[in-house]
Amino acid sequence: MASYNTTQRKMLIDFLKSNPDKQFSAKQIFGELSDSSISLSAIYRNISALEAEGVINRFSKEGSREICYQYTQHENCRNSLHLTCVECGKTF
């Protein structure tokens, strides 16, 4: 799949880069970026491509069918193991 550097893709990457220690569902990302012109379908398309490129990781929350995503290209995240607190949800 070709990678296009669209405005929507840049907004999504910038949002994820600014929150490298958090995991978000596509709907949460959409809610956070609701003031912009990005659509929910564009978020799903871009997170699928970013996951395939290894820029983000996909996680499923325990006890839930919801899928969350986290930016992993942050300098502190590369080649690291991520642990998620089962009480507060924060990822380390």
Side-chain angles (χ1 to χ4, degrees), residues 20-80:
D21 61 335
K22 296 179 184 170
Q23 299 172 355
F24 297 95
S25 69
K27 288 182 181 179
Q28 288 172 321
I29 295 168
F30 180 68
E32 292 289 329
L33 297 176
S34 63
D35 292 341
S36 64
S37 61
I38 192 167
S39 67
L40 185 57
S41 63
I43 290 172
Y44 278 112
R45 265 193 319 277
N46 280 292
I47 58 177
S48 178
L50 292 171
E51 182 185 2
E53 294 168 17
V55 175
I56 61 174
N57 280 344
R58 168 191 249 194
F59 301 92
S60 58
K61 299 264 183 178
E62 187 175 336
S64 172
R65 294 176 54 168
E66 185 174 48
I67 303 296
C68 293
Y69 303 90
Q70 182 176 11
Y71 183 75
T72 58
Q73 296 301 303
H74 189 271
E75 62 190 40
N76 294 335
C77 290
R78 284 190 216 123
N79 302 316
S80 298

